[in-house]
PDB file of all heavy atoms in Angstrom:
ATOM      1  N   VAL Q  56     -50.932 184.232 204.999  1.00 91.00           N
ATOM      2  CA  VAL Q  56     -49.692 184.889 205.474  1.00 91.00           C
ATOM      3  C   VAL Q  56     -49.933 186.369 205.690  1.00 91.00           C
ATOM      4  O   VAL Q  56     -49.559 186.964 206.687  1.00 91.00           O
ATOM      5  CB  VAL Q  56     -48.552 184.667 204.476  1.00 91.00           C
ATOM      6  CG1 VAL Q  56     -47.323 185.520 204.857  1.00 91.00           C
ATOM      7  CG2 VAL Q  56     -48.172 183.193 204.427  1.00 91.00           C
ATOM      8  N   LEU Q  57     -50.607 187.019 204.733  1.00 94.00           N
ATOM      9  CA  LEU Q  57     -50.864 188.456 204.794  1.00 94.00           C
ATOM     10  C   LEU Q  57     -51.810 188.796 205.929  1.00 94.00           C
ATOM     11  O   LEU Q  57     -51.655 189.822 206.599  1.00 94.00           O
ATOM     12  CB  LEU Q  57     -51.424 188.955 203.463  1.00 94.00           C
ATOM     13  CG  LEU Q  57     -50.475 188.765 202.243  1.00 94.00           C
ATOM     14  CD1 LEU Q  57     -51.103 189.319 200.984  1.00 94.00           C
ATOM     15  CD2 LEU Q  57     -49.163 189.445 202.475  1.00 94.00           C
ATOM     16  N   ASP Q  58     -52.771 187.939 206.175  1.00 93.00           N
ATOM     17  CA  ASP Q  58     -53.673 188.138 207.319  1.00 93.00           C
ATOM     18  C   ASP Q  58     -52.909 188.105 208.646  1.00 93.00           C
ATOM     19  O   ASP Q  58     -53.155 188.925 209.547  1.00 93.00           O
ATOM     20  CB  ASP Q  58     -54.797 187.116 207.330  1.00 93.00           C
ATOM     21  CG  ASP Q  58     -55.872 187.418 206.273  1.00 93.00           C
ATOM     22  OD1 ASP Q  58     -56.016 188.576 205.860  1.00 93.00           O
ATOM     23  OD2 ASP Q  58     -56.466 186.425 205.816  1.00 93.00           O
ATOM     24  N   ARG Q  59     -51.975 187.169 208.777  1.00 91.00           N
ATOM     25  CA  ARG Q  59     -51.194 187.067 210.019  1.00 91.00           C
ATOM     26  C   ARG Q  59     -50.311 188.334 210.186  1.00 91.00           C
ATOM     27  O   ARG Q  59     -49.995 188.695 211.313  1.00 91.00           O
ATOM     28  CB  ARG Q  59     -50.359 185.799 210.047  1.00 91.00           C
ATOM     29  CG  ARG Q  59     -51.188 184.546 210.310  1.00 91.00           C
ATOM     30  CD  ARG Q  59     -50.292 183.367 210.570  1.00 91.00           C
ATOM     31  NE  ARG Q  59     -49.614 182.923 209.374  1.00 91.00           N
ATOM     32  CZ  ARG Q  59     -50.146 182.142 208.416  1.00 91.00           C
ATOM     33  NH1 ARG Q  59     -51.390 181.709 208.564  1.00 91.00           N
ATOM     34  NH2 ARG Q  59     -49.465 181.776 207.368  1.00 91.00           N
ATOM     35  N   MET Q  60     -49.890 188.939 209.058  1.00 91.00           N
ATOM     36  CA  MET Q  60     -49.142 190.145 209.151  1.00 91.00           C
ATOM     37  C   MET Q  60     -49.989 191.363 209.483  1.00 91.00           C
ATOM     38  O   MET Q  60     -49.469 192.438 209.831  1.00 91.00           O
ATOM     39  CB  MET Q  60     -48.433 190.425 207.799  1.00 91.00           C
ATOM     40  CG  MET Q  60     -47.227 189.651 207.524  1.00 91.00           C
ATOM     41  SD  MET Q  60     -46.438 190.182 205.970  1.00 91.00           S
ATOM     42  CE  MET Q  60     -45.967 191.873 206.376  1.00 91.00           C
ATOM     43  N   GLY Q  61     -51.295 191.207 209.333  1.00 92.00           N
ATOM     44  CA  GLY Q  61     -52.199 192.359 209.577  1.00 92.00           C
ATOM     45  C   GLY Q  61     -52.412 193.246 208.379  1.00 92.00           C
ATOM     46  O   GLY Q  61     -52.868 194.374 208.544  1.00 92.00           O
ATOM     47  N   VAL Q  62     -52.090 192.767 207.183  1.00 94.00           N
ATOM     48  CA  VAL Q  62     -52.210 193.581 205.993  1.00 94.00           C
ATOM     49  C   VAL Q  62     -53.154 192.974 204.963  1.00 94.00           C
ATOM     50  O   VAL Q  62     -53.379 193.549 203.895  1.00 94.00           O
ATOM     51  CB  VAL Q  62     -50.803 193.809 205.359  1.00 94.00           C
ATOM     52  CG1 VAL Q  62     -50.356 192.537 204.608  1.00 94.00           C
ATOM     53  CG2 VAL Q  62     -50.767 194.990 204.432  1.00 94.00           C
ATOM     54  N   GLY Q  63     -53.818 191.868 205.323  1.00 95.00           N
ATOM     55  CA  GLY Q  63     -54.682 191.167 204.366  1.00 95.00           C
ATOM     56  C   GLY Q  63     -55.840 192.001 203.871  1.00 95.00           C
ATOM     57  O   GLY Q  63     -56.142 192.026 202.689  1.00 95.00           O
ATOM     58  N   GLU Q  64     -56.498 192.718 204.765  1.00 96.00           N
ATOM     59  CA  GLU Q  64     -57.686 193.489 204.333  1.00 96.00           C
ATOM     60  C   GLU Q  64     -57.293 194.623 203.396  1.00 96.00           C
ATOM     61  O   GLU Q  64     -58.042 194.968 202.474  1.00 96.00           O
ATOM     62  CB  GLU Q  64     -58.402 194.025 205.593  1.00 96.00           C
ATOM     63  CG  GLU Q  64     -59.156 192.933 206.341  1.00 96.00           C
ATOM     64  CD  GLU Q  64     -60.091 192.123 205.425  1.00 96.00           C
ATOM     65  OE1 GLU Q  64     -60.874 192.737 204.652  1.00 96.00           O
ATOM     66  OE2 GLU Q  64     -60.031 190.882 205.452  1.00 96.00           O
ATOM     67  N   ARG Q  65     -56.129 195.216 203.621  1.00 96.00           N
ATOM     68  CA  ARG Q  65     -55.689 196.279 202.720  1.00 96.00           C
ATOM     69  C   ARG Q  65     -55.376 195.750 201.341  1.00 96.00           C
ATOM     70  O   ARG Q  65     -55.673 196.411 200.313  1.00 96.00           O
ATOM     71  CB  ARG Q  65     -54.477 197.023 203.308  1.00 96.00           C
ATOM     72  CG  ARG Q  65     -54.751 197.761 204.602  1.00 96.00           C
ATOM     73  CD  ARG Q  65     -53.518 198.498 205.107  1.00 96.00           C
ATOM     74  NE  ARG Q  65     -53.097 199.492 204.145  1.00 96.00           N
ATOM     75  CZ  ARG Q  65     -51.936 200.172 204.286  1.00 96.00           C
ATOM     76  NH1 ARG Q  65     -51.099 199.940 205.271  1.00 96.00           N
ATOM     77  NH2 ARG Q  65     -51.623 201.092 203.357  1.00 96.00           N
ATOM     78  N   VAL Q  66     -54.837 194.536 201.299  1.00 96.00           N
ATOM     79  CA  VAL Q  66     -54.554 193.907 199.977  1.00 96.00           C
ATOM     80  C   VAL Q  66     -55.868 193.614 199.278  1.00 96.00           C
ATOM     81  O   VAL Q  66     -56.022 193.841 198.073  1.00 96.00           O
ATOM     82  CB  VAL Q  66     -53.733 192.648 200.192  1.00 96.00           C
ATOM     83  CG1 VAL Q  66     -53.602 191.836 198.879  1.00 96.00           C
ATOM     84  CG2 VAL Q  66     -52.308 192.997 200.696  1.00 96.00           C
ATOM     85  N   ARG Q  67     -56.858 193.103 199.995  1.00 96.00           N
ATOM     86  CA  ARG Q  67     -58.142 192.817 199.377  1.00 96.00           C
ATOM     87  C   ARG Q  67     -58.792 194.094 198.867  1.00 96.00           C
ATOM     88  O   ARG Q  67     -59.454 194.104 197.809  1.00 96.00           O
ATOM     89  CB  ARG Q  67     -59.058 192.117 200.391  1.00 96.00           C
ATOM     90  CG  ARG Q  67     -58.602 190.715 200.759  1.00 96.00           C
ATOM     91  CD  ARG Q  67     -59.610 190.009 201.705  1.00 96.00           C
ATOM     92  NE  ARG Q  67     -59.124 188.715 202.062  1.00 96.00           N
ATOM     93  CZ  ARG Q  67     -58.404 188.462 203.138  1.00 96.00           C
ATOM     94  NH1 ARG Q  67     -58.037 189.431 203.957  1.00 96.00           N
ATOM     95  NH2 ARG Q  67     -57.990 187.204 203.407  1.00 96.00           N
ATOM     96  N   ALA Q  68     -58.641 195.231 199.621  1.00 95.00           N
ATOM     97  CA  ALA Q  68     -59.234 196.467 199.189  1.00 95.00           C
ATOM     98  C   ALA Q  68     -58.652 197.017 197.937  1.00 95.00           C
ATOM     99  O   ALA Q  68     -59.316 197.622 197.114  1.00 95.00           O
ATOM    100  CB  ALA Q  68     -59.126 197.485 200.341  1.00 95.00           C
ATOM    101  N   GLU Q  69     -57.317 196.823 197.726  1.00 93.00           N
ATOM    102  CA  GLU Q  69     -56.662 197.355 196.550  1.00 93.00           C
ATOM    103  C   GLU Q  69     -56.657 196.383 195.401  1.00 93.00           C
ATOM    104  O   GLU Q  69     -56.359 196.722 194.265  1.00 93.00           O
ATOM    105  CB  GLU Q  69     -55.228 197.777 196.864  1.00 93.00           C
ATOM    106  CG  GLU Q  69     -55.124 198.959 197.795  1.00 93.00           C
ATOM    107  CD  GLU Q  69     -53.831 199.711 197.633  1.00 93.00           C
ATOM    108  OE1 GLU Q  69     -53.148 199.536 196.611  1.00 93.00           O
ATOM    109  OE2 GLU Q  69     -53.495 200.489 198.574  1.00 93.00           O
ATOM    110  N   GLY Q  70     -57.036 195.116 195.651  1.00 94.00           N
ATOM    111  CA  GLY Q  70     -57.085 194.112 194.629  1.00 94.00           C
ATOM    112  C   GLY Q  70     -58.471 193.683 194.388  1.00 94.00           C
ATOM    113  O   GLY Q  70     -59.433 194.463 194.466  1.00 94.00           O
ATOM    114  N   GLY Q  71     -58.674 192.402 194.038  1.00 92.00           N
ATOM    115  CA  GLY Q  71     -60.004 191.911 193.747  1.00 92.00           C
ATOM    116  C   GLY Q  71     -59.910 190.408 193.590  1.00 92.00           C
ATOM    117  O   GLY Q  71     -58.835 189.818 193.511  1.00 92.00           O
ATOM    118  N   PRO Q  72     -61.050 189.757 193.559  1.00 90.00           N
ATOM    119  CA  PRO Q  72     -61.031 188.281 193.376  1.00 90.00           C
ATOM    120  C   PRO Q  72     -60.543 187.904 192.007  1.00 90.00           C
ATOM    121  O   PRO Q  72     -60.574 188.708 191.071  1.00 90.00           O
ATOM    122  CB  PRO Q  72     -62.515 187.862 193.562  1.00 90.00           C
ATOM    123  CG  PRO Q  72     -63.275 189.118 193.245  1.00 90.00           C
ATOM    124  CD  PRO Q  72     -62.431 190.253 193.707  1.00 90.00           C
ATOM    125  N   LEU Q  73     -60.030 186.654 191.854  1.00 88.00           N
ATOM    126  CA  LEU Q  73     -59.604 186.230 190.526  1.00 88.00           C
ATOM    127  C   LEU Q  73     -60.791 186.171 189.617  1.00 88.00           C
ATOM    128  O   LEU Q  73     -61.867 185.739 189.986  1.00 88.00           O
ATOM    129  CB  LEU Q  73     -58.928 184.855 190.644  1.00 88.00           C
ATOM    130  CG  LEU Q  73     -57.704 184.694 191.510  1.00 88.00           C
ATOM    131  CD1 LEU Q  73     -57.116 183.299 191.316  1.00 88.00           C
ATOM    132  CD2 LEU Q  73     -56.684 185.742 191.249  1.00 88.00           C
ATOM    133  N   PRO Q  74     -60.612 186.588 188.337  1.00 89.00           N
ATOM    134  CA  PRO Q  74     -61.760 186.589 187.441  1.00 89.00           C
ATOM    135  C   PRO Q  74     -62.117 185.173 186.971  1.00 89.00           C
ATOM    136  O   PRO Q  74     -61.298 184.265 187.013  1.00 89.00           O
ATOM    137  CB  PRO Q  74     -61.247 187.469 186.275  1.00 89.00           C
ATOM    138  CG  PRO Q  74     -59.771 187.310 186.296  1.00 89.00           C
ATOM    139  CD  PRO Q  74     -59.404 187.139 187.744  1.00 89.00           C
ATOM    140  N   ASP Q  75     -63.343 185.067 186.417  1.00 87.00           N
ATOM    141  CA  ASP Q  75     -63.732 183.793 185.812  1.00 87.00           C
ATOM    142  C   ASP Q  75     -62.950 183.555 184.526  1.00 87.00           C
ATOM    143  O   ASP Q  75     -62.508 184.478 183.851  1.00 87.00           O
ATOM    144  CB  ASP Q  75     -65.242 183.827 185.451  1.00 87.00           C
ATOM    145  CG  ASP Q  75     -66.099 183.854 186.703  1.00 87.00           C
ATOM    146  OD1 ASP Q  75     -65.613 183.489 187.797  1.00 87.00           O
ATOM    147  OD2 ASP Q  75     -67.259 184.277 186.580  1.00 87.00           O
ATOM    148  N   VAL Q  76     -62.782 182.292 184.177  1.00 87.00           N
ATOM    149  CA  VAL Q  76     -62.006 181.922 182.933  1.00 87.00           C
ATOM    150  C   VAL Q  76     -63.013 181.703 181.809  1.00 87.00           C
ATOM    151  O   VAL Q  76     -63.985 180.916 181.952  1.00 87.00           O
ATOM    152  CB  VAL Q  76     -61.191 180.629 183.175  1.00 87.00           C
ATOM    153  CG1 VAL Q  76     -60.518 180.249 181.896  1.00 87.00           C
ATOM    154  CG2 VAL Q  76     -60.193 180.852 184.302  1.00 87.00           C
ATOM    155  N   HIS Q  77     -62.801 182.387 180.692  1.00 89.00           N
ATOM    156  CA  HIS Q  77     -63.614 182.172 179.487  1.00 89.00           C
ATOM    157  C   HIS Q  77     -62.664 181.546 178.426  1.00 89.00           C
ATOM    158  O   HIS Q  77     -61.771 182.228 177.885  1.00 89.00           O
ATOM    159  CB  HIS Q  77     -64.147 183.540 178.981  1.00 89.00           C
ATOM    160  CG  HIS Q  77     -65.226 184.067 179.818  1.00 89.00           C
ATOM    161  ND1 HIS Q  77     -66.268 184.848 179.319  1.00 89.00           N
ATOM    162  CD2 HIS Q  77     -65.511 183.945 181.157  1.00 89.00           C
ATOM    163  CE1 HIS Q  77     -67.101 185.174 180.289  1.00 89.00           C
ATOM    164  NE2 HIS Q  77     -66.632 184.643 181.410  1.00 89.00           N
ATOM    165  N   SER Q  78     -62.898 180.316 178.152  1.00 85.00           N
ATOM    166  CA  SER Q  78     -62.062 179.560 177.192  1.00 85.00           C
ATOM    167  C   SER Q  78     -62.731 179.552 175.811  1.00 85.00           C
ATOM    168  O   SER Q  78     -63.820 179.009 175.691  1.00 85.00           O
ATOM    169  CB  SER Q  78     -61.772 178.159 177.696  1.00 85.00           C
ATOM    170  OG  SER Q  78     -60.969 177.456 176.778  1.00 85.00           O
ATOM    171  N   TYR Q  79     -62.106 180.187 174.854  1.00 87.00           N
ATOM    172  CA  TYR Q  79     -62.652 180.301 173.515  1.00 87.00           C
ATOM    173  C   TYR Q  79     -62.082 179.139 172.678  1.00 87.00           C
ATOM    174  O   TYR Q  79     -60.935 179.180 172.191  1.00 87.00           O
ATOM    175  CB  TYR Q  79     -62.287 181.605 172.882  1.00 87.00           C
ATOM    176  CG  TYR Q  79     -63.098 182.763 173.464  1.00 87.00           C
ATOM    177  CD1 TYR Q  79     -62.770 183.345 174.666  1.00 87.00           C
ATOM    178  CD2 TYR Q  79     -64.235 183.223 172.798  1.00 87.00           C
ATOM    179  CE1 TYR Q  79     -63.549 184.375 175.197  1.00 87.00           C
ATOM    180  CE2 TYR Q  79     -64.986 184.232 173.326  1.00 87.00           C
ATOM    181  CZ  TYR Q  79     -64.663 184.821 174.530  1.00 87.00           C
ATOM    182  OH  TYR Q  79     -65.457 185.839 175.048  1.00 87.00           O
ATOM    183  N   ILE Q  80     -62.894 178.094 172.516  1.00 81.00           N
ATOM    184  CA  ILE Q  80     -62.528 176.936 171.707  1.00 81.00           C
ATOM    185  C   ILE Q  80     -62.753 177.246 170.253  1.00 81.00           C
ATOM    186  O   ILE Q  80     -63.819 177.795 169.890  1.00 81.00           O
ATOM    187  CB  ILE Q  80     -63.394 175.712 172.132  1.00 81.00           C
ATOM    188  CG1 ILE Q  80     -63.249 175.465 173.638  1.00 81.00           C
ATOM    189  CG2 ILE Q  80     -62.969 174.492 171.332  1.00 81.00           C
ATOM    190  CD1 ILE Q  80     -61.882 175.098 174.136  1.00 81.00           C
ATOM    191  N   SER Q  81     -61.837 176.916 169.388  1.00 75.00           N
ATOM    192  CA  SER Q  81     -62.003 177.195 167.947  1.00 75.00           C
ATOM    193  C   SER Q  81     -63.264 176.519 167.429  1.00 75.00           C
ATOM    194  O   SER Q  81     -63.576 175.390 167.743  1.00 75.00           O
ATOM    195  CB  SER Q  81     -60.764 176.708 167.168  1.00 75.00           C
ATOM    196  OG  SER Q  81     -60.643 175.277 167.260  1.00 75.00           O
ATOM    197  N   GLY Q  82     -63.986 177.255 166.600  1.00 65.00           N
ATOM    198  CA  GLY Q  82     -65.211 176.742 166.051  1.00 65.00           C
ATOM    199  C   GLY Q  82     -66.447 177.081 166.887  1.00 65.00           C
ATOM    200  O   GLY Q  82     -67.590 176.809 166.501  1.00 65.00           O
ATOM    201  N   ARG Q  83     -66.239 177.641 168.100  1.00 71.00           N
ATOM    202  CA  ARG Q  83     -67.361 178.044 168.956  1.00 71.00           C
ATOM    203  C   ARG Q  83     -67.419 179.555 169.047  1.00 71.00           C
ATOM    204  O   ARG Q  83     -66.397 180.183 169.261  1.00 71.00           O
ATOM    205  CB  ARG Q  83     -67.199 177.461 170.342  1.00 71.00           C
ATOM    206  CG  ARG Q  83     -67.300 175.953 170.425  1.00 71.00           C
ATOM    207  CD  ARG Q  83     -66.981 175.475 171.849  1.00 71.00           C
ATOM    208  NE  ARG Q  83     -67.945 176.064 172.816  1.00 71.00           N
ATOM    209  CZ  ARG Q  83     -68.902 175.371 173.413  1.00 71.00           C
ATOM    210  NH1 ARG Q  83     -69.023 174.086 173.174  1.00 71.00           N
ATOM    211  NH2 ARG Q  83     -69.697 175.940 174.285  1.00 71.00           N
ATOM    212  N   GLU Q  84     -68.587 180.133 168.934  1.00 75.00           N
ATOM    213  CA  GLU Q  84     -68.722 181.558 169.067  1.00 75.00           C
ATOM    214  C   GLU Q  84     -68.782 181.986 170.501  1.00 75.00           C
ATOM    215  O   GLU Q  84     -68.344 183.064 170.865  1.00 75.00           O
ATOM    216  CB  GLU Q  84     -69.997 182.068 168.319  1.00 75.00           C
ATOM    217  CG  GLU Q  84     -69.936 181.891 166.809  1.00 75.00           C
ATOM    218  CD  GLU Q  84     -71.152 182.489 166.147  1.00 75.00           C
ATOM    219  OE1 GLU Q  84     -72.008 183.067 166.850  1.00 75.00           O
ATOM    220  OE2 GLU Q  84     -71.237 182.358 164.911  1.00 75.00           O
ATOM    221  N   ARG Q  85     -69.345 181.137 171.351  1.00 83.00           N
ATOM    222  CA  ARG Q  85     -69.437 181.479 172.781  1.00 83.00           C
ATOM    223  C   ARG Q  85     -68.382 180.685 173.552  1.00 83.00           C
ATOM    224  O   ARG Q  85     -68.151 179.529 173.272  1.00 83.00           O
ATOM    225  CB  ARG Q  85     -70.853 181.119 173.287  1.00 83.00           C
ATOM    226  CG  ARG Q  85     -71.923 181.938 172.619  1.00 83.00           C
ATOM    227  CD  ARG Q  85     -73.291 181.471 173.081  1.00 83.00           C
ATOM    228  NE  ARG Q  85     -73.433 181.743 174.513  1.00 83.00           N
ATOM    229  CZ  ARG Q  85     -73.866 182.925 175.032  1.00 83.00           C
ATOM    230  NH1 ARG Q  85     -74.086 183.946 174.219  1.00 83.00           N
ATOM    231  NH2 ARG Q  85     -73.993 183.070 176.322  1.00 83.00           N
ATOM    232  N   PRO Q  86     -67.804 181.303 174.585  1.00 84.00           N
ATOM    233  CA  PRO Q  86     -66.757 180.583 175.344  1.00 84.00           C
ATOM    234  C   PRO Q  86     -67.353 179.621 176.321  1.00 84.00           C
ATOM    235  O   PRO Q  86     -68.559 179.692 176.671  1.00 84.00           O
ATOM    236  CB  PRO Q  86     -66.091 181.745 176.103  1.00 84.00           C
ATOM    237  CG  PRO Q  86     -67.200 182.756 176.321  1.00 84.00           C
ATOM    238  CD  PRO Q  86     -68.025 182.655 175.057  1.00 84.00           C
ATOM    239  N   ILE Q  87     -66.507 178.706 176.772  1.00 80.00           N
ATOM    240  CA  ILE Q  87     -66.855 177.885 177.929  1.00 80.00           C
ATOM    241  C   ILE Q  87     -66.396 178.623 179.151  1.00 80.00           C
ATOM    242  O   ILE Q  87     -65.240 179.068 179.241  1.00 80.00           O
ATOM    243  CB  ILE Q  87     -66.148 176.523 177.807  1.00 80.00           C
ATOM    244  CG1 ILE Q  87     -66.664 175.708 176.621  1.00 80.00           C
ATOM    245  CG2 ILE Q  87     -66.326 175.738 179.148  1.00 80.00           C
ATOM    246  CD1 ILE Q  87     -65.966 174.405 176.425  1.00 80.00           C
ATOM    247  N   VAL Q  88     -67.335 178.864 180.046  1.00 81.00           N
ATOM    248  CA  VAL Q  88     -67.050 179.677 181.262  1.00 81.00           C
ATOM    249  C   VAL Q  88     -66.762 178.760 182.439  1.00 81.00           C
ATOM    250  O   VAL Q  88     -67.557 177.865 182.764  1.00 81.00           O
ATOM    251  CB  VAL Q  88     -68.225 180.603 181.576  1.00 81.00           C
ATOM    252  CG1 VAL Q  88     -67.902 181.444 182.836  1.00 81.00           C
ATOM    253  CG2 VAL Q  88     -68.534 181.475 180.405  1.00 81.00           C
ATOM    254  N   LEU Q  89     -65.632 178.968 183.054  1.00 75.00           N
ATOM    255  CA  LEU Q  89     -65.250 178.164 184.226  1.00 75.00           C
ATOM    256  C   LEU Q  89     -65.067 179.123 185.434  1.00 75.00           C
ATOM    257  O   LEU Q  89     -64.093 179.877 185.474  1.00 75.00           O
ATOM    258  CB  LEU Q  89     -63.944 177.398 184.002  1.00 75.00           C
ATOM    259  CG  LEU Q  89     -63.462 176.514 185.070  1.00 75.00           C
ATOM    260  CD1 LEU Q  89     -64.435 175.356 185.299  1.00 75.00           C
ATOM    261  CD2 LEU Q  89     -62.078 175.950 184.768  1.00 75.00           C
ATOM    262  N   PRO Q  90     -66.050 179.222 186.288  1.00 68.00           N
ATOM    263  CA  PRO Q  90     -65.923 180.081 187.451  1.00 68.00           C
ATOM    264  C   PRO Q  90     -64.667 179.744 188.246  1.00 68.00           C
ATOM    265  O   PRO Q  90     -64.363 178.574 188.465  1.00 68.00           O
ATOM    266  CB  PRO Q  90     -67.216 179.824 188.245  1.00 68.00           C
ATOM    267  CG  PRO Q  90     -68.140 179.247 187.275  1.00 68.00           C
ATOM    268  CD  PRO Q  90     -67.328 178.459 186.309  1.00 68.00           C
ATOM    269  N   GLN Q  91     -64.025 180.768 188.772  1.00 65.00           N
ATOM    270  CA  GLN Q  91     -62.846 180.518 189.585  1.00 65.00           C
ATOM    271  C   GLN Q  91     -63.245 179.833 190.855  1.00 65.00           C
ATOM    272  O   GLN Q  91     -64.112 180.282 191.586  1.00 65.00           O
ATOM    273  CB  GLN Q  91     -62.136 181.859 189.914  1.00 65.00           C
ATOM    274  CG  GLN Q  91     -61.318 182.408 188.768  1.00 65.00           C
ATOM    275  CD  GLN Q  91     -60.021 181.637 188.538  1.00 65.00           C
ATOM    276  OE1 GLN Q  91     -59.709 180.718 189.271  1.00 65.00           O
ATOM    277  NE2 GLN Q  91     -59.293 182.008 187.531  1.00 65.00           N
ATOM    278  N   GLY Q  92     -62.601 178.697 191.144  1.00 56.00           N
ATOM    279  CA  GLY Q  92     -62.898 177.991 192.374  1.00 56.00           C
ATOM    280  C   GLY Q  92     -61.925 178.378 193.520  1.00 56.00           C
ATOM    281  O   GLY Q  92     -62.060 177.847 194.588  1.00 56.00           O
ATOM    282  N   HIS Q  93     -61.031 179.285 193.232  1.00 65.00           N
ATOM    283  CA  HIS Q  93     -60.007 179.638 194.256  1.00 65.00           C
ATOM    284  C   HIS Q  93     -60.593 180.635 195.245  1.00 65.00           C
ATOM    285  O   HIS Q  93     -60.249 181.794 195.232  1.00 65.00           O
ATOM    286  CB  HIS Q  93     -58.778 180.210 193.581  1.00 65.00           C
ATOM    287  CG  HIS Q  93     -58.327 179.395 192.392  1.00 65.00           C
ATOM    288  ND1 HIS Q  93     -57.826 179.982 191.245  1.00 65.00           N
ATOM    289  CD2 HIS Q  93     -58.353 178.061 192.145  1.00 65.00           C
ATOM    290  CE1 HIS Q  93     -57.563 179.033 190.391  1.00 65.00           C
ATOM    291  NE2 HIS Q  93     -57.871 177.889 190.868  1.00 65.00           N
ATOM    292  N   VAL Q  94     -61.513 180.186 196.085  1.00 73.00           N
ATOM    293  CA  VAL Q  94     -62.170 181.071 197.043  1.00 73.00           C
ATOM    294  C   VAL Q  94     -61.115 181.621 198.010  1.00 73.00           C
ATOM    295  O   VAL Q  94     -60.338 180.906 198.642  1.00 73.00           O
ATOM    296  CB  VAL Q  94     -63.222 180.269 197.808  1.00 73.00           C
ATOM    297  CG1 VAL Q  94     -63.884 181.177 198.867  1.00 73.00           C
ATOM    298  CG2 VAL Q  94     -64.251 179.710 196.872  1.00 73.00           C
ATOM    299  N   GLY Q  95     -61.118 182.939 198.085  1.00 83.00           N
ATOM    300  CA  GLY Q  95     -60.153 183.619 198.984  1.00 83.00           C
ATOM    301  C   GLY Q  95     -58.925 184.109 198.308  1.00 83.00           C
ATOM    302  O   GLY Q  95     -58.133 184.871 198.893  1.00 83.00           O
TER     303      GLY Q  95
END
Side-chain angles (χ1 to χ4, degrees):
V56 171
L57 299 180
D58 285 333
R59 284 190 291 276
M60 282 184 65
V62 75
E64 288 308 310
R65 294 183 63 188
V66 170
R67 292 183 182 92
E69 293 204 18
L73 301 189
D75 293 340
V76 177
H77 287 210
S78 181
Y79 285 81
I80 305 295
S81 63
R83 295 175 59 109
E84 293 185 3
R85 298 176 64 84
I87 294 176
V88 179
L89 183 64
Q91 283 285 359
H93 314 143
V94 178

